[in-house]
Amino acid sequence: MDSLFQRSLDDIIKGLRHQQAGESAFVSKVLEEVRREIKSTDSHTKSTALQKLTYLHSICFVDMSWAAFHAIECISYPNFTHKKVGYLAISQSFQESTPVILLISNQLRKDLKSNVEVEVSLALECLSRIGNLDLCRDLTPEVFTLMASSRIPVRKKAIGVVLRLFGKYPDAVRVCFKRLVESLESSDSPPIVSAVIGVFCELASKDPKAYLPLAPEFYKILVDSRNNWVLIKVLKIFTKLAPLEPRLAKKIVEPICELMSKTGAKSLMFECIRTILTSLAEHESAVKLAAGRINELLIDEDPNLRYLGLHALAIVAPKHIWAVLENKEFVIKSLSDPDPNIKLESLRLVMEMVSESNVVEICRVLVNYATKSEPEFCNVILGSILSTCSNNVYEIIVDFDWYVSLLGEMSRIQHCQKGEEIENQLIDIGMRVQDVRPELVRVGRDLLMDPALLGNPFLHRILSAAAWLCGEYVEFIRNPVELMESLLQPRTSLLPPSVRAVYLESAFKALVFCLHSYLKSATSSDHSALGLSDPGVSKENHITPDSVLHLLNLIDMAVGPLSGSYDVEIQERARNILGFTELIKPVLSDSLHPQDERHKQQVEASKMVRLLHDTFSDELGPVSMSAQGRVPVPDGLVLHENLADLEAVCGSSLPASSATISFEGSHNVEGATSIFISDQKEESEPSSESTSLLAEHRKRHGLYYLPSEKNTEHHEANNDYPPANELKSELAEQSFLPKRKSKQVKARPVVVKLDEGDVLPISSKIPQAKDDSLSEAVRDVLLGNEADADTLTQKAAADSVIRKKGKEKLNAKEQEDDLDHMDSQSGTVQNPVKERSKRSSRKQNADEGDHGGDKGKQKRRHRHGKHRTREGVQNPPANVISQTPVPDLLL
Amino acid sequence: MIKAVMVMNTQGKPRLTKFYEFLVRKRQTQFSLFFFLPCLIRAENVSNFMEADSIFGPDSRLVYKHYATLYFVFVFDSSENELAMLDLIQVFVETLDKCFRNVCELDIVFNYSKLHTILDEIIFGGQVLETSSAEVMKVVEEISRQESASNSIGLVTKTVSGWRNR
């Protein structure tokens, strides 16, 4: 009865279309039905249920892994429709790890041998989608047979499957590779060549070296083929092969150029351009031709072609920048193209063109574009300006005043979200480039003065940098009182606590500076003979007693409430400032109201202020990233790789929080040490035994305690790297670049550079050889030491039969297999020199224009010859396999 | 290699999904894909390519084409040519057009398995095997013949639904 009222797939689709909101309810109802129906013994009911499930899986993404076994049942039905439903379900839902996957092995083999062409196609398609190691190993013989099928569609798909076989089961190469190479020459049936070339293109993209010996065959296709799809794939192969063999590049450059100028298909033309630009960039004339074709693409109406044209220019830019410069106007114009791809690509090109001489001009243009474009692209532009200009410690920047004001301008762009990057660069430049500090402070002041900027959260980081700079280099400020006012303005409450803390500290520095210069000018006016010698304090920013009073009041008003802030940083800094003002006020108040004894008071005040002023005026320099690494490890200090031991040490005393200990979070460390201390107190009192244990423990785990006095002394004694400031002065001369154009009006200021470690060293990853076994197998076969294909096929067939019989013997059998392979290899390895000479003779034939049919025959004859000679050669050179074949490319 | 083929309508409802790489078969990925793609696809008269590294892993590009209410999306890697992929979408759509005579979204909604059959003839395990729609049609017709032959064995439909559809 169930099956009588079963809904078909069409019913489900219609039902789904009529659901407006409750789609998921409908789907779960259908799933319930499917779960019931799929258990039916009737093949029609079961396959319909499976079909519905597959549909829901691919459209509504429901899980269907539970139905794996039912899918396998479906493919075993004789009815083609049911079988097809099963295969579709399998290829859509199976993974390599699906537990029942091995059960389909037999059915696949049966269908691969079927007389019905479409059934074979189904099985091949399935194998190409889900084949894992076991399936590929078991079915290699069948696929090998099908590769010689007389039915073109089947043969084509068998060739397509080979890619999966090779990928999962590299030993399949020994069986199928020869036939694959032979298929390259079946010029009578274009679909076959197309399929083979597709397979080789995929293979060569992973490990091109192994396929160099096949270059002559590929070359022939490149010259002879008229099929654009095939030609594109061949070009892809040559893109990989040409860099490996200069002679090959010379050979192919001419036909590719010809193809490029003759073809009408844009796809093929673009592929030619790309091949020339990536792999044949040394051939000037070819690149010139390609550049000409790129120009055609650039002026095309189709945005796809314009985009690809720009993309091609980006490929050529690193080697031949002239090609980009020729199209400079077009590239700049494309920045305002409505197409995002084109915009991005042209931005990339503009950045390629940037040099010392035009950076100002280009950045001006880009910033203009950034202000006009939408937020996302605006930030992309800003990001690329920032990264290009800061590249290699601001290599291309000559005029830092300009760059700093550009940074200021960029911060004011409405959509700017590059706060963090601009912050880093502002501070970095401040520390590295001494000459630019006045300008930096001016830019910073302008930013701080603008109350509107405080409302933009993206700018907070920049404001933090500006505040720090103005505080640190306050001596360049024209009007420190004004700076104080802007640092303490009420809107600063909008800032996050961390930034506000920086503001407070800067205000502190500015205050000290004001007082210092006030006191100084007061003394110097008394002793006018001394005269003003401080360069930073000009006459204009002369600080009057009134302004000092004003400042002190301002601090009382603005900082006072912060002393109760919940944020520790803010609270602490606020209290510092307040404490200082409290201290200074009484001494200062006398001096503010001139009296007779003010002199003595003033001395006292200026002593205090000078002390702080000196503290703040100590200059900071950049620190190398690797500085810590260069600190020598003191004797007797054992550094463990990680802190896992720590858990064992304090596991007993810190059951809960031991896992969270980190030396960065000061709270935790404090907590931990205080517990240690309390432990020690407890333990040390009761018995002397425990004290000795403790001493032992300390000796062993001294590392984990906060450094004692002794330790730090030791540390400093060994401190043989120069502190940042010394380093700076030392390196300053070195890094000054003497080679500057004489045209330059303004010399480039000194940029402090650390000889190493400006950036963290990037550990260069050694590319791991992928598909080792695959390329090795391919090499073996191409070098002529393949095992006899027929015997191997038989052997593989025998293997799979044995495997069918019993899995328990599998391991032993596999070992035997390996031995077998080794035997067969060593038995059939041929002298590669002989093989090479044969190849070259064949190639010579081809070169002489002998493209006739006898080439194939010749080859076959050679193969026969190989078989015969194989018995003779018993002692192969030991290192054949490990060497890469470098073929004689006498194309 | 082609990594995935998707057909969806302009509202982001999937009509056909085929993933040739296991990586992208994950359910979560697919969900986010159909959620984000329609937002990413842009106005008319712009280029049809997109970087798809974030969704499909490194070295992935995406090309789409807009026909009436449907988007055809192909995801591929660097061993395919971008313009050739655009052509391939054209081949696919042309074949559908031949198969259904003026194909529209409804045809694609209701002929789920036929769509797969056609696509399997063009793309085989991620490789392009056939680029002529005439050849594809030949095979598809052969498969339909096989299907109807196998169905005609059971002359009496067993379900009410099947009987209604006759």
Side-chain angles (χ1 to χ4, degrees):
Chain A
M1 266 323 263
D2 258 1
S3 68
L4 185 61
F5 293 105
Q6 188 185 25
R7 291 198 276 185
S8 69
L9 177 60
D10 279 7
D11 297 335
I12 302 298
I13 296 172
K14 275 178 203 151
L16 261 179
R17 285 174 67 77
H18 288 135
Q19 303 299 317
Q20 294 301 330
E23 198 177 89
S24 62
F26 180 78
V27 169
S28 52
K29 195 159 156 263
V30 174
L31 270 179
E32 212 174 281
E33 276 174 28
V34 165
R35 275 179 192 275
R36 202 174 56 238
E37 291 161 8
I38 210 165
K39 290 188 190 121
S40 156
T41 47
D42 178 52
S43 64
H44 182 80
T45 312
K46 189 187 277 283
S47 70
T48 307
L50 187 67
Q51 192 181 25
K52 288 191 281 187
L53 183 61
T54 315
Y55 178 81
L56 291 180
H57 170 72
S58 90
I59 301 300
C60 306
F61 310 115
V62 301
D63 176 47
M64 67 174 291
S65 53
W66 55 271
F69 188 73
H70 299 290
I72 293 177
E73 281 182 305
C74 274
I75 62 168
S76 67
Y77 292 140
N79 182 317
F80 178 73
T81 314
H82 301 160
K83 196 186 277 289
K84 190 161 165 277
V85 168
Y87 272 120
L88 181 60
I90 286 178
S91 51
Q92 286 287 85
S93 71
F94 272 34
Q95 305 164 8
E96 275 185 37
S97 55
T98 303
V100 291
I101 194 167
L102 278 179
L103 296 177
I104 68 171
S105 174
N106 273 328
Q107 186 58 41
L108 276 179
R109 182 177 293 116
K110 215 167 124 195
D111 286 334
L112 285 175
K113 286 178 173 166
S114 161
N115 289 323
V116 187
E117 194 178 299
V118 285
E119 281 184 4
V120 183
S121 292
L122 280 182
L124 284 172
E125 157 76 18
C126 179
L127 186 59
S128 81
R129 295 282 297 278
I130 63 154
N132 61 3
L133 172 64
D134 294 299
L135 282 179
C136 288
R137 188 180 50 207
D138 291 352
L139 298 171
T140 296
E142 278 75 20
V143 174
F144 176 72
T145 318
L146 288 173
M147 280 172 78
S149 166
S150 56
R151 296 166 293 184
I152 297 291
V154 169
R155 195 167 151 208
K156 174 172 89 176
K157 285 179 180 168
I159 288 169
V161 158
V162 165
L163 184 65
R164 184 89 187 184
L165 295 190
F166 285 7
K168 298 288 167 190
Y169 174 60
D171 275 342
V173 170
R174 299 180 207 283
V175 183
C176 302
F177 200 74
K178 214 161 104 185
R179 207 162 259 188
L180 197 65
V181 174
E182 279 168 5
S183 306
L184 269 178
E185 283 161 20
S186 49
S187 46
D188 47 324
S189 55
I192 301 294
V193 178
S194 170
V196 183
I197 284 292
V199 171
F200 273 116
C201 179
E202 292 293 335
L203 289 173
S205 72
K206 281 172 195 131
D207 176 34
K209 233 176 185 175
Y211 305 93
L212 256 183
L214 290 172
E217 276 83 358
F218 296 141
Y219 179 77
K220 197 162 169 285
I221 291 171
L222 176 69
V223 178
D224 292 347
S225 178
R226 287 285 152 271
N227 182 335
N228 288 342
W229 289 87
V230 172
L231 285 171
I232 287 173
K233 288 284 177 182
V234 170
L235 286 170
K236 291 263 184 207
I237 296 175
F238 277 124
T239 309
K240 299 281 182 212
L241 295 188
L244 304 173
E245 177 59 64
R247 283 174 295 170
L248 179 64
K250 242 181 251 165
K251 190 77 192 166
I252 58 172
V253 71
E254 199 186 312
I256 292 180
C257 285
E258 200 188 316
L259 207 58
M260 181 170 66
S261 38
K262 270 203 321 210
T263 181
K266 289 279 193 280
S267 52
L268 180 56
M269 181 179 100
F270 178 66
E271 201 57 51
C272 291
I273 294 174
R274 184 152 56 189
T275 308
I276 290 174
L277 299 184
T278 30
S279 301
L280 307 169
E282 282 76 39
H283 299 256
E284 284 284 343
S285 57
V287 174
K288 283 224 172 74
L289 264 180
R293 303 299 289 201
I294 291 176
N295 291 345
E296 279 174 40
L297 291 178
L298 291 181
I299 53 169
D300 203 287
E301 271 183 21
D302 186 354
N304 286 322
L305 295 183
R306 283 208 305 274
Y307 162 62
L308 290 175
L310 289 170
H311 187 68
L313 281 183
I315 299 174
V316 78
K319 279 180 190 154
H320 301 278
I321 192 72
W322 56 264
V324 186
L325 290 173
E326 269 179 12
N327 294 300
K328 191 176 165 187
E329 265 129 61
F330 176 82
V331 171
I332 301 260
K333 209 181 78 199
S334 301
L335 281 174
S336 50
D337 201 282
D339 190 325
N341 277 335
I342 293 181
K343 275 199 282 194
L344 280 178
E345 208 62 55
S346 54
L347 177 63
R348 216 170 289 167
L349 284 171
V350 169
M351 280 356 252
E352 289 281 351
M353 287 191 279
V354 170
S355 71
E356 213 170 83
S357 53
N358 62 11
V359 60
V360 178
E361 178 199 349
I362 286 182
C363 286
R364 169 86 2 248
V365 172
L366 286 181
V367 169
N368 277 342
Y369 273 108
T371 40
K372 277 186 283 180
S373 37
E374 73 273 26
E376 195 188 345
F377 188 59
C378 166
N379 279 301
V380 176
I381 294 183
L382 296 183
S384 56
I385 294 179
L386 287 171
S387 63
T388 310
C389 289
S390 66
N391 193 21
N392 199 6
V393 202
Y394 314 97
E395 200 177 31
I396 55 167
I397 306 288
V398 178
D399 184 355
F400 273 92
D401 284 356
W402 161 79
Y403 185 56
V404 167
S405 55
L406 179 76
L407 286 178
E409 196 181 328
M410 277 158 73
S411 333
R412 285 167 186 274
I413 290 175
Q414 201 190 354
H415 305 299
C416 172
Q417 295 175 6
K418 293 284 168 192
E420 194 175 343
E421 182 60 27
I422 295 180
E423 176 202 22
N424 291 340
Q425 288 198 13
L426 281 174
I427 291 181
D428 196 39
I429 293 174
M431 291 203 285
R432 284 179 197 276
V433 192
Q434 204 168 8
D435 295 359
V436 81
R437 283 172 193 169
E439 179 66 15
L440 259 180
V441 167
R442 195 193 61 75
V443 169
R445 188 203 80 125
D446 288 352
L447 289 172
L448 294 175
M449 295 282 285
D450 192 344
L453 299 182
L454 287 165
N456 182 351
F458 292 115
L459 293 184
H460 287 164
R461 303 288 302 263
I462 303 174
L463 290 176
S464 153
W468 185 84
L469 286 168
C470 288
E472 184 66 22
Y473 307 118
V474 67
E475 66 265 24
F476 300 112
I477 281 280
R478 246 160 226 240
N479 188 349
V481 181
E482 187 189 59
L483 173 73
M484 289 282 288
E485 278 166 355
S486 52
L487 282 173
L488 297 174
Q489 61 183 298
R491 269 176 77 88
T492 51
S493 59
L494 293 169
L495 293 171
S498 58
V499 178
R500 211 161 182 206
V502 177
Y503 264 62
L504 283 177
E505 195 67 10
S506 293
F508 194 14
K509 286 176 188 168
L511 172 70
V512 170
F513 175 77
C514 287
L515 293 177
H516 181 70
S517 52
Y518 163 70
L519 289 170
K520 206 163 183 186
S521 63
T523 20
S524 61
S525 64
D526 275 3
H527 312 272
S528 48
L530 284 173
L532 276 170
S533 58
D534 198 330
V537 189
S538 52
K539 298 221 172 181
E540 292 124 65
N541 65 8
H542 188 79
I543 291 162
T544 58
D546 283 349
S547 56
V548 171
L549 259 185
H550 170 67
L551 277 184
L552 291 176
N553 287 336
L554 181 72
I555 282 176
D556 266 349
M557 234 166 55
V559 186
L562 293 178
S563 62
S565 167
Y566 287 116
D567 189 89
V568 278
E569 285 289 332
I570 295 180
Q571 194 199 57
E572 183 152 330
R573 288 175 197 213
R575 278 177 188 254
N576 277 346
I577 300 177
L578 291 173
F580 176 69
T581 46
E582 287 302 312
L583 214 62
I584 206 82
K585 244 183 208 163
V587 247
L588 216 55
S589 57
D590 297 336
S591 71
L592 289 173
H593 309 291
Q595 281 166 16
D596 281 344
E597 52 168 342
R598 74 177 186 185
H599 197 70
K600 188 185 135 211
Q601 298 279 16
Q602 217 166 14
V603 171
E604 208 171 306
S606 66
K607 229 198 245 167
M608 262 200 282
V609 172
R610 193 181 307 132
L611 201 70
L612 269 173
H613 181 75
D614 289 353
T615 316
F616 285 143
S617 58
D618 214 13
E619 203 175 294
L620 295 168
V623 179
S624 160
M625 292 261 207
S626 58
Q628 197 170 7
R630 277 183 277 163
V631 180
V633 179
D635 294 337
L637 184 66
V638 187
L639 286 175
H640 286 259
E641 290 229 321
N642 55 35
L643 296 176
D645 294 1
L646 190 63
E647 212 167 327
V649 173
C650 48
S652 53
S653 54
L654 284 173
S657 63
S658 60
T660 60
I661 287 180
S662 77
F663 282 94
E664 280 164 13
S666 53
H667 288 291
N668 279 343
V669 176
E670 270 168 30
T673 37
S674 67
I675 293 174
F676 273 135
I677 291 162
S678 63
D679 272 5
Q680 288 153 19
K681 272 178 192 162
E682 280 166 21
E683 278 176 28
S684 59
E685 275 165 14
S687 72
S688 61
E689 192 188 54
S690 61
T691 34
S692 68
L693 272 176
L694 185 72
E696 177 77 34
H697 165 84
R698 287 200 128 189
K699 209 170 129 193
R700 251 199 286 159
H701 301 284
L703 167 68
Y704 301 125
Y705 291 98
L706 289 179
S708 62
E709 293 299 307
K710 210 171 77 186
N711 222 346
T712 41
E713 271 170 32
H714 190 60
H715 194 114
E716 273 166 14
N718 276 321
N719 198 357
D720 65 354
Y721 69 98
N725 286 327
E726 284 172 43
L727 197 73
K728 192 197 101 193
S729 51
E730 247 176 61
L731 288 166
E733 289 95 2
Q734 288 174 20
S735 64
F736 182 65
L737 302 169
K739 277 191 213 161
R740 290 283 148 215
K741 287 170 207 156
S742 53
K743 269 190 273 176
Q744 232 164 258
V745 187
K746 202 167 162 188
R748 187 173 191 250
V750 180
V751 180
V752 179
K753 247 182 180 177
L754 304 165
D755 45 349
E756 47 169 317
D758 263 323
V759 276
L760 272 179
I762 300 149
S763 55
S764 53
K765 276 184 197 165
I766 305 153
Q768 282 196 326
K770 259 197 212 165
D771 299 314
D772 247 356
S773 47
L774 174 61
S775 41
E776 208 169 277
V778 171
R779 246 168 258 158
D780 286 356
V781 174
L782 280 172
L783 270 179
N785 49 0
E786 77 261 56
D788 195 8
D790 297 334
T791 52
L792 246 179
T793 327
Q794 284 161 14
K795 197 170 71 66
D799 281 359
S800 53
V801 169
I802 290 161
R803 257 182 217 110
K804 248 189 291 172
K805 283 179 183 165
K807 284 270 166 211
E808 64 274 11
K809 282 187 186 171
L810 203 67
N811 285 339
K813 182 64 198 157
E814 261 168 1
Q815 280 173 355
E816 268 176 49
D817 265 7
D818 289 346
L819 287 174
D820 272 5
H821 280 302
M822 279 161 71
D823 280 350
S824 62
Q825 273 171 34
S826 60
T828 53
V829 166
Q830 223 183 348
N831 194 338
V833 180
K834 265 191 187 171
E835 170 65 10
R836 217 182 290 166
S837 66
K838 256 183 232 162
R839 265 186 183 283
S840 62
S841 72
R842 207 175 91 221
K843 281 159 210 158
Q844 266 167 349
N845 281 345
D847 209 64
E848 282 156 24
D850 188 8
H851 293 295
D854 60 340
K855 194 188 157 196
K857 275 179 218 160
Q858 238 178 9
K859 191 179 175 184
R860 238 158 278 141
R861 236 178 285 141
H862 278 310
R863 289 238 166 75
H864 284 297
K866 237 185 275 168
H867 284 265
R868 254 176 270 133
T869 51
R870 224 167 254 161
E871 282 94 38
V873 187
Q874 284 299 329
N875 296 320
N879 57 348
V880 180
I881 299 163
S882 58
Q883 278 177 353
T884 347
V886 183
D888 241 356
L889 285 159
L890 296 165
L891 284 162
Chain B
M1 182 152 165
I2 295 171
K3 295 184 173 184
V5 172
M6 287 161 287
V7 179
M8 63 173 135
N9 71 3
T10 38
Q11 276 105 51
K13 259 200 178 328
R15 293 299 183 212
L16 172 80
T17 53
K18 208 151 180 121
F19 298 95
Y20 296 98
E21 246 190 11
F22 171 64
L23 194 76
V24 285
R25 284 199 211 172
K26 279 189 210 141
R27 205 161 160 245
Q28 208 58 43
T29 329
Q30 296 176 16
F31 261 126
S32 56
L33 200 67
F34 285 99
F35 186 76
F36 286 118
L37 265 182
C39 317
L40 289 173
I41 285 175
R42 312 159 190 125
E44 298 290 310
N45 299 325
V46 296
S47 54
N48 304 85
F49 303 106
M50 255 189 266
E51 303 287 336
D53 295 14
S54 51
I55 312 173
F56 296 97
D59 188 23
S60 308
R61 320 210 61 203
L62 180 152
V63 61
Y64 65 89
K65 218 163 178 181
H66 187 179
Y67 290 96
T69 54
L70 290 174
Y71 289 126
F72 288 76
V73 184
F74 280 31
V75 183
F76 57 95
D77 66 8
S78 63
S79 45
E80 303 292 339
N81 179 294
E82 289 87 346
L83 294 170
M85 285 299 108
L86 266 178
D87 288 347
L88 197 67
I89 296 184
Q90 185 67 34
V91 170
F92 183 41
V93 176
E94 261 173 36
T95 319
L96 291 177
D97 208 40
K98 272 185 195 165
C99 193
F100 299 114
R101 288 188 200 84
N102 274 330
V103 64
C104 69
E105 193 183 342
L106 271 187
D107 292 319
I108 287 173
V109 170
F110 282 105
N111 291 284
Y112 171 74
S113 71
K114 195 154 199 177
L115 226 59
H116 274 283
T117 314
I118 294 171
L119 193 58
D120 284 350
E121 281 311 307
I122 300 175
I123 302 169
F124 177 89
Q127 302 167 72
V128 183
L129 268 202
E130 186 57 71
T131 49
S132 138
S133 59
E135 287 295 319
V136 176
M137 280 308 295
K138 249 194 251 170
V139 182
V140 171
E141 273 160 21
E142 166 66 23
I143 289 174
S144 318
R145 216 174 11 254
Q146 283 284 340
E147 277 185 301
S148 51
S150 66
N151 282 343
S152 63
I153 297 166
L155 273 176
V156 185
T157 43
K158 287 173 184 162
T159 64
V160 173
S161 160
W163 171 78
R164 241 187 13 236
N165 285 346
R166 288 206 131 194

